[in-house]
């Protein structure tokens, strides 16, 4: 990812890195965690459906606080990502249109058993800075390509080593980070309050994600239910909206 862009930018460097590392691990028979170890990939398109929950005020009051919190966090990250992309590409985007589009997409996705989503800084930086994308067509192609990979090339994708994906994200973080912001000359000009907030945020987040309690949010956990579906144990993301809704009301 460091030297390949100097040769050509016609092919994204992250894609080349993933392909090369996958070929090496498969050919050499190296036993490493792969994408397939995290769960089975979908083999067919989802079908629409409704959650198997009572449509009552009690259900709404139970789910509303979590839904509102997720919506706010997703909206803030999307707006922050849009602002960052505007600065990088020297363009202006409609934040209102982005917010409305995200809300509509999440509502429609819920009827197909999907999970709520928002813009992600990491993937956006791969798309914009590493792959050189500049239009919304790149976003559509990324989603379409991912769909084809899951449905048509699921067995191949399952062999991708997780280390390759981690390496891509590490390089993206390194390239995205504004190193000038932590330079001694810059810190001397910053208000002391902002420096304290930055340090406390980094320390708290690092402690939270590396502590024994971080397993609670680990994406590799499994969801299981009792025969009467009265208990759903938090051990992995639900496979459908119905399962998630049943857990919320358990």
């Amino acid at each position: 990812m460091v030297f390949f862009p100097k040769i050509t930018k016609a092919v994204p460097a992250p894609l080349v890195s993933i392909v090369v590392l996958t070929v090496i691990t498969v050919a050499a028979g190296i036993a490493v965690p792969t994408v397939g170890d995290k769960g089975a990939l979908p083999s067919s398109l989802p079908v629409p459906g409704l959650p198997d929950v009572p449509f009552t005020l009690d259900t709404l009051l139970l789910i509303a606080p979590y839904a509102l919190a997720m919506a706010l966090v997703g909206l803030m990250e999307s707006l922050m990502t849009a602002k960052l992309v505007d600065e990088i590409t020297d363009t202006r985007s409609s934040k209102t249109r982005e917010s409305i589009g995200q809300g509509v997409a999440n509502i429609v996705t819920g009827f197909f058993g999907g999970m709520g989503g928002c813009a992600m800084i990491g993937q956006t930086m791969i798309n914009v800075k590493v792959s050189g994308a500049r239009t919304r067509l790149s976003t559509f192609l990324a989603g379409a390509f991912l769909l084809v990979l899951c449905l048509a090339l699921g067995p191949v994708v399952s062999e991708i080593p997780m280390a390759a994906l981690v390496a891509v994200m590490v390089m993206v973080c390194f390239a995205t980070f504004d190193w000038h912001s932590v330079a001694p000359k810059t810190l001397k000009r910053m208000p002391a309050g902002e420096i304290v907030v930055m340090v406390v945020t980094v320390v708290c987040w690092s402690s939270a994600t590396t502590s024994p309690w971080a397993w609670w949010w680990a994406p590799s956990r499994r969801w299981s239910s009792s025969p009467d579906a009265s208990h759903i144990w938090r051990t992995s993301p639900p496979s459908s909206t119905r399962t998630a809704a049943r857990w919320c009301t358990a």
Side-chain angles (χ1 to χ4, degrees), residues 11 30-31 59 103 130 135 147 161 175 179 215 222 244:
V11 181
I30 303 175
T59 303
V130 180
T135 66
L147 180 65
W179 296 101
W215 70 271
R222 295 275 182 262

Side-chain angles (χ1 to χ4, degrees), residues 112-201:
F112 287 87
M115 300 175 66
C118 66
M120 298 184 65
I121 294 180
Q123 293 180 355
T124 302
M125 290 301 101
I126 294 177
N127 196 28
V128 175
K129 298 191 68 174
V130 180
S131 302
R134 288 296 180 270
T135 66
R136 288 180 173 85
L137 180 61
S138 62
T139 305
F140 171 78
L141 291 178
F145 187 59
L146 180 61
L147 180 65
V148 172
L149 284 178
C150 291
L151 297 182
L153 301 175
V156 177
V157 175
S158 298
E159 297 298 327
I160 296 177
M162 294 299 299
L165 303 182
V166 172
V168 171
M169 291 308 301
V170 168
M171 291 302 300
V172 169
C173 293
F174 183 85
T176 304
F177 191 85
D178 186 5
W179 296 101
H180 176 71
S181 63
V182 294
K185 294 182 179 179
T186 304
L187 294 176
K188 290 180 180 180
R189 298 194 300 267
M190 291 178 59
E194 293 186 7
I195 298 177
V196 172
V197 171
M198 179 178 64
V199 173
V200 171
T201 301

